[in-house]
Amino acid sequence: MSTHVQKPGWFTVHVLNRSVAWLTRRGLSVWGSRVLAVRGRKSGEWRTTPVNLLTVDGQQYLIAPRGHVQWTHNMRAAGGGELHLGRSVEEFTAAEVADDDKAPLLRAYLKRWKAEVGVFFNGVGPTSPEAELRRIAPDHPVFRITVTNRR
């Protein structure tokens, strides 16, 4: 498994992520944003981070543009979590997508959010050849989520 991680800078952590999370918690989705809540694999405490929810062919996915970050490790351990948008909460289970199946999902993600996250994909974009998407697939965890409860 790849160990690729691109840590966010101060501005992203303290301004961008907080702003998007604040708006999302108030019910304003910014281009599909949700606040992901997942239990910490060591502490068992809820951890939150803003994410972009991708829908392809009626299936929903979470993609980690920065690579194998903390929420991806926690997701593997917990097997699911919650997506928050305002007062709406969707509980879900998560299944990791195999590297060989990621290319069309990465392409769809980049089509939607390249301006926001394209820098994390090492020059690969939505119009890149399939071989390039396959090359970067191990660096970007993808989870198919299945909603199990809405509240």
Side-chain angles (χ1 to χ4, degrees):
M1 178 195 313
S2 171
T3 57
H4 174 78
V5 174
Q6 288 185 310
K7 294 195 182 259
W10 184 93
F11 182 79
T12 298
V13 171
H14 292 82
V15 178
L16 218 60
N17 282 358
R18 286 183 182 179
S19 298
V20 170
W22 186 87
L23 288 168
T24 304
R25 282 189 197 101
R26 277 142 189 86
L28 300 170
S29 177
V30 181
W31 284 74
S33 67
R34 300 292 187 277
V35 173
L36 169 67
V38 64
R39 295 250 184 214
R41 65 192 179 281
K42 295 176 185 172
S43 69
E45 295 179 18
W46 286 102
R47 304 293 182 197
T48 61
T49 191
V51 294
N52 293 323
L53 181 62
L54 176 69
T55 302
V56 174
D57 297 330
Q59 295 288 316
Q60 294 182 312
Y61 299 89
L62 294 176
I63 297 178
R66 292 179 176 276
H68 297 270
V69 294
Q70 293 301 316
W71 74 258
T72 64
H73 298 295
N74 291 338
M75 183 76 73
R76 287 184 191 108
E82 297 177 345
L83 289 173
H84 297 250
L85 177 58
R87 293 182 181 177
S88 173
V89 178
E90 295 180 326
E91 297 174 14
F92 67 89
T93 58
E96 194 157 5
V97 175
D99 290 343
D100 289 341
D101 300 327
K102 290 179 184 177
L105 301 170
L106 292 172
R107 186 179 307 282
Y109 189 82
L110 286 164
K111 275 183 185 175
R112 176 111 171 129
W113 291 291
K114 182 180 185 226
E116 181 183 333
V117 300
V119 68
F120 307 122
F121 289 86
N122 298 320
V124 176
T127 60
S128 294
E130 178 100 1
E132 286 298 298
L133 291 162
R134 287 180 172 276
R135 180 182 61 78
I136 65 163
D139 293 339
H140 302 281
V142 176
F143 296 90
R144 184 180 62 251
I145 67 165
T146 303
V147 175
T148 57
N149 189 32
R150 286 182 172 85
R151 42 184 171 103

